[in-house]
Amino acid sequence: MRYLIVGGGIAGTTAAEELRKIDPNGSIVLISEEQNRLYSRVLLPHYINGKVERERCFLKKESWYEQQKIEAHFGVTVSKLDVKNHFVATSDGREHEYDKLLIATGGEVKTHDEDCRGISYLRTLDDADHLLQLLGESPSSVGIVGAGFIAIEYINIFADRGLKAELFTRTGRFFSRSLDQDSSDLIKERVERDGIVVSNNPPRLQEYAIVGIGMGVAPDLSWIKEAGVETRAGILANDFLETNVPNVYTAGDVAEYFDLFAKRHLIVGNWMNAMTQGRIVAKTMAGERTRFELVSSYATNVRGMEIIFVGDTDREKAERIIRRGSKGEGGITQLFVRAGRVVGATLVNRNSERAEVTKLIREKIDL
Amino acid sequence: MKLRIKVDPDLCIGAASCVTIAPETFQLNDENKAVVFDHGTEPTPRTYERVIEVSEDEKENILLGAQSCPTLAIFIYDEDGNQLFPEL
């Protein structure tokens, strides 16, 4: 069997590792846009604040790929997929045939129109190195664009260094797709205590020595669409992570898969989801057809305050939102309800409810 | 066999992937950090480090839980004190 995996992040690499466990002799080719072997993006903030050394970010040794008989091509992108003749063409002028293809290409960071030297992103190890360089130049003023997970990382990085950042958010709300105004206000009040100024004016990027951009990610679907693989915001897949094209599968941040708890297609951009999908899709690719069933969650901490997302946290898709706690109590939980069941939750400074709400979602308990 | 399992709370961010894979061994505390359980029970006091008796299958699953941590906050040692994960 010839397995071809496009994407060398945690989804693609976990799939390769799992395929090797199931099929000791199959051919496994891994194509990665990254120049680097697998590292943890989640560790980048720890690397930037000096908690871990750069080398500790890597999750696999250089020799691992060869030991596992995984033929890895780094720094290579796909230019064309031919699903009829079962091959992909790559930027280094090669063609790779496959019996089973996994697309796990992740998301591309959305870039700001303006380009100046101090602009910083926080997606790759190179981005982290660049930010460390900028921070080493004793910046006098710093800004942040966005109000999601990456913006939170910039808030912590700047505040740790005593830098008073100005944060620009178009919506005026943190995590505007998920949080209500009061939950957002809790975060805002917390960061303002550390001197962060939250503004919904258009940003003036040139005024800052560093501007951290956290405007989200979106996948590059160009060659995937051209090949006839069905897409929306991501690659459409069923609950087995199979696409509309036979022998083509998807996993990780690029997958818009049918979620068995939310009962709708979701794109979930977190570590736990990507890793688990990589493991599950490998089983299916190797012939043990396996459903993907996971209530995934993601947590971040802003200046000591925990923010936790569990399951489907799109406010607009909820039929009803049950709220526990209040601004006055210092913490708010939102439970998102559809068809009489909790499908997702956000917890701001109410960590102790995490296990309970995860159970409500996982066990599909009727309210 | 016995394993010594240690969570570094300074590195743990509460991603909970260990809890998903090995819930008998890892659970989150109120600070949203993983603590070490002994086969689903929580010997007092709650602690980030514990030595527990495990079977070969349990050891493999605990290692998988440790490997799943995106911040490599979980350290596993064998009875002789050799670090099994992260590999040195």
Side-chain angles (χ1 to χ4, degrees), chain A residues 23-44:
Chain A
D23 184 347
N25 301 312
S27 142
I28 302 174
V29 175
L30 180 76
I31 293 167
S32 178
E33 184 175 10
E34 277 274 356
Q35 298 287 351
N36 293 301
R37 65 190 193 276
L38 179 70
Y39 59 88
S40 171
R41 296 188 197 283
V42 186
L43 264 174
L44 297 180

Side-chain angles (χ1 to χ4, degrees), chain A residues 67-215:
Chain A
Q67 277 166 8
Q68 295 286 314
K69 292 185 287 162
I70 294 165
E71 183 189 321
H73 299 266
F74 293 103
V76 173
T77 57
V78 167
S79 50
K80 183 190 168 180
L81 162 62
D82 184 332
V83 299
K84 196 168 154 234
N85 297 303
H86 293 106
F87 74 90
V88 301
T90 50
S91 56
D92 56 354
R94 297 174 62 154
E95 289 179 352
H96 298 273
E97 291 184 298
Y98 66 84
D99 298 310
K100 304 277 178 184
L101 169 68
L102 174 63
I103 307 174
T105 43
E108 306 290 318
V109 70
K110 287 187 192 165
T111 55
H112 201 276
D113 294 340
E114 273 186 73
D115 193 18
C116 42
R117 184 172 174 274
I119 286 202
S120 160
Y121 297 97
L122 201 47
R123 183 75 178 158
T124 65
L125 192 54
D126 288 349
D127 291 338
D129 289 335
H130 178 236
L131 178 57
L132 275 173
Q133 187 191 346
L134 292 170
L135 288 166
E137 294 169 5
S138 308
S140 51
S141 60
V142 294
I144 299 166
V145 179
F149 284 111
I150 295 300
I152 297 289
E153 298 299 346
Y154 279 112
I155 288 172
N156 290 331
I157 289 164
F158 292 147
D160 278 348
R161 288 169 163 77
L163 294 166
K164 301 202 184 312
E166 193 163 1
L167 180 142
F168 299 95
T169 158
R170 201 168 28 84
T171 60
R173 195 190 288 186
F174 284 93
F175 302 97
S176 58
R177 283 175 60 135
S178 300
L179 294 187
D180 62 351
Q181 192 60 51
D182 283 355
S183 296
S184 170
D185 286 349
L186 285 171
I187 299 170
K188 183 166 175 266
E189 285 161 17
R190 179 67 197 86
V191 303
E192 282 174 347
R193 287 217 302 275
D194 284 339
I196 306 283
V197 177
V198 179
S199 156
N200 47 11
N201 297 327
R204 303 166 307 275
L205 304 193
Q206 326 64 279
E207 293 178 13
Y208 300 93
I210 308 176
V211 187
I213 307 281
M215 304 194 309

Side-chain angles (χ1 to χ4, degrees), chain A residues 17 40 42-43 46 51-52 56 59-61 271-272 275 279 294 299 306 351-352 354, chain B residues 10-11 13-17 20-21 28 30-32 64 67-68 70-72 87-88:
Chain A
E17 186 169 16
S40 171
V42 186
L43 264 174
H46 282 0
K51 273 191 200 172
V52 300
R56 269 284 303 276
L59 298 180
K60 300 293 180 201
K61 292 187 170 151
W271 186 266
M272 191 200 289
M275 190 186 58
R279 188 169 299 132
L294 174 73
E306 290 287 332
N351 316 340
S352 55
R354 181 175 184 169
Chain B
D10 204 31
L11 294 177
I13 57 162
S17 38
T20 307
I21 290 176
L28 297 176
D30 285 349
E31 278 84 59
N32 201 33
L64 204 59
Q67 198 191 352
S68 77
T71 58
L72 297 180
E87 283 175 53
L88 294 171

Side-chain angles (χ1 to χ4, degrees), chain B residues 22-38:
Chain B
E24 296 286 295
T25 309
F26 302 105
Q27 285 294 323
L28 297 176
N29 65 13
D30 285 349
E31 278 84 59
N32 201 33
K33 309 275 185 194
V35 287
V36 184
F37 274 38
D38 185 351

Side-chain angles (χ1 to χ4, degrees), chain B residues 8-87:
Chain B
D8 181 341
D10 204 31
L11 294 177
C12 177
I13 57 162
S17 38
C18 59
V19 177
T20 307
I21 290 176
E24 296 286 295
T25 309
F26 302 105
Q27 285 294 323
L28 297 176
N29 65 13
D30 285 349
E31 278 84 59
N32 201 33
K33 309 275 185 194
V35 287
V36 184
F37 274 38
D38 185 351
H39 296 85
T41 64
E42 183 196 0
T44 46
R46 283 199 160 185
T47 175
Y48 292 118
E49 186 171 348
R50 196 178 293 289
V51 176
I52 59 171
E53 182 75 33
V54 294
S55 67
E56 190 60 39
D57 283 355
E58 287 167 346
K59 176 186 158 191
E60 284 309 306
N61 199 50
I62 290 167
L63 281 169
L64 204 59
Q67 198 191 352
S68 77
C69 175
T71 58
L72 297 180
I74 300 171
F75 297 78
I76 312 280
Y77 306 88
D78 68 12
E79 279 169 89
D80 304 322
N82 300 309
Q83 186 171 321
L84 303 180
F85 190 84
E87 283 175 53

